[in-house]
Amino acid sequence: MNQPFVLALLRNPRQIGAVVPSGQSLARAMALAAKPSGKRILEIGPGTGAITKALLAEGASREKLCLLERDDRLAAYLTGKFPGIRVINGDARSTADLIQPESGSYFDVVISSLPLLNVKEADKIIILEQIFSLLNQQGVLVQYTYSAKAPISSSLANRFGVKGERTAMVFRNLPPASVWKYSYPSNYNFHN
Ligand SMILES: C[S@@+](CC[C@H](N)C(=O)[O-])C[C@H]1O[C@@H](n2cnc3c(N)ncnc32)[C@H](O)[C@@H]1O
């Protein structure tokens, strides 16, 4: 039993949005989609760190990785578990303020375990605005879902000028999940 996860789930089931932490296969599929080596990465909703661990195994560097977790006890747990990685305890709705990027220091990858299907539409828009304001032009958002549908509707993706593609289906996860990647088309007119 993953005790920190179970305790967080009992404290706030809707926020956690899953009954078990991401399994190794899903965590690896997420990390492979991120191609993390050398990239500046923001992980949102890392929970107990299954995906963080997979990112490190796939070559992410601790100095370039930043974790944003709303649950204060999980955030403290992650700080102890991953020395050298910046952990921010806060809400994804305030991502940009919490991160405070210097001008020009955008992320190459945002990788999210947020339970987007449980998030109210208005909050989802705020969170996505924050995420896409921090991604550079070649950047990608990686997100998994347990739904057969995309985690971000095509109308919402259009609103942010990104295109989504499913990069993996992970049947060896409970429940089975799919990994989606969102990026700007190469001809996108990107304004900073
Ligand atoms: C499905 S769980 C993550 C599972 C994680 N991949 C693992 O293996 O433990 C979703 C996580 O997102 C966090 N979360 C939910 N809403 C959030 C928000 N608005 N801002 C930041 N983190 C949030 C939850 O506290 C939880 O840790």
Side-chain angles (χ1 to χ4, degrees):
M1 184 176 69
N2 187 320
Q3 197 186 33
F5 189 87
V6 173
L7 292 175
L9 181 64
L10 293 173
R11 280 195 298 279
N12 199 336
R14 195 176 165 83
Q15 173 182 308
I16 297 297
V19 288
V20 285
S22 313
Q24 266 184 23
S25 304
L26 174 56
R28 181 149 192 273
M30 290 285 282
L32 288 175
K35 299 190 175 76
S37 181
K39 306 255 175 82
R40 191 158 183 255
I41 303 170
L42 171 63
E43 185 182 355
I44 305 185
T48 53
I51 291 172
T52 316
K53 200 171 145 202
L55 286 168
L56 292 171
E58 291 301 324
S61 78
R62 286 176 186 250
E63 313 80 66
K64 292 186 172 181
L65 186 50
C66 178
L67 312 181
L68 172 59
E69 170 55 56
R70 183 159 79 175
D71 185 281
D72 49 359
R73 276 176 265 192
L74 284 176
Y77 171 79
L78 290 163
T79 303
K81 186 169 174 179
F82 297 108
I85 295 183
R86 182 181 178 200
V87 179
I88 299 171
N89 181 199
D91 193 312
R93 287 173 299 184
S94 307
T95 304
D97 283 346
L98 291 164
I99 302 288
Q100 291 176 331
E102 296 145 25
S103 154
S105 75
Y106 291 97
F107 288 92
D108 305 305
V109 177
V110 174
I111 186 162
S112 157
S113 294
L114 291 174
L116 285 182
L117 293 176
N118 292 354
V119 176
K120 282 188 269 169
E121 192 67 10
D123 285 341
K124 201 186 300 184
I125 291 170
I126 293 171
I127 290 171
L128 292 175
E129 274 168 0
Q130 304 279 305
I131 289 175
F132 290 119
S133 75
L134 289 171
L135 264 186
N136 68 35
Q137 187 168 5
Q138 288 77 36
V140 293
L141 165 64
V142 181
Q143 169 78 48
Y144 70 78
T145 181
Y146 298 129
S147 167
K149 291 190 292 190
I152 300 171
S153 66
S154 40
S155 61
L156 210 44
N158 284 342
R159 176 180 174 143
F160 292 104
V162 292
K163 289 244 176 292
E165 58 169 329
R166 189 192 274 116
T167 64
M169 292 196 68
V170 186
F171 295 103
R172 293 178 62 191
N173 191 68
L174 194 70
S178 41
V179 174
W180 284 73
K181 194 154 130 172
Y182 290 85
S183 53
Y184 296 103
S186 50
N187 59 353
Y188 185 68
N189 190 5
F190 191 83
H191 296 288
N192 284 323

